Amino acid sequence: MDRIEERIIELETKISYQEDLIQELNQHVITQQKQIDELTELNNLLKEQFKEIISIIPSASSGHEVPPHY
């Protein structure tokens, strides 16, 4: 009977450590998801700004046309 109690205690200890680890990993996942969301939002903002800049700048080909005498 003593051996069974030791096994039960050992298993309970392992489960406790696993639960702690799962909680810690869950917090990491939450933090990473927040970062992903922020980066996605920033990326979308930068794409919109880039589109605005491109629309303001004259076409690149207009400044580099070959003169008529060539």
Side-chain angles (χ1 to χ4, degrees):
M1 198 70 165
D2 218 13
R3 179 69 185 138
I4 292 175
E5 287 180 25
E6 288 177 8
R7 284 288 294 160
I8 291 173
I9 291 172
E10 182 182 334
L11 290 171
E12 288 175 338
T13 303
K14 286 182 178 184
I15 288 172
S16 177
Y17 281 119
Q18 287 179 350
E19 287 176 342
D20 289 345
L21 180 60
I22 288 171
Q23 285 295 341
E24 184 179 336
L25 290 172
N26 189 42
Q27 286 302 314
H28 284 292
V29 169
I30 290 170
T31 301
Q32 287 178 343
Q33 186 60 50
K34 286 179 182 177
Q35 290 174 336
I36 289 170
D37 292 343
E38 290 172 1
L39 290 171
T40 300
E41 185 177 336
L42 179 60
N43 186 41
N44 290 335
L45 180 65
L46 289 172
K47 284 194 286 189
E48 289 301 316
Q49 289 177 350
F50 183 73
K51 287 178 185 177
E52 289 176 20
I53 291 170
I54 292 298
S55 69
I56 294 171
I57 296 175
S59 175
S61 63
S62 66
H64 298 288
E65 289 182 13
V66 177
H69 62 278
Y70 282 114

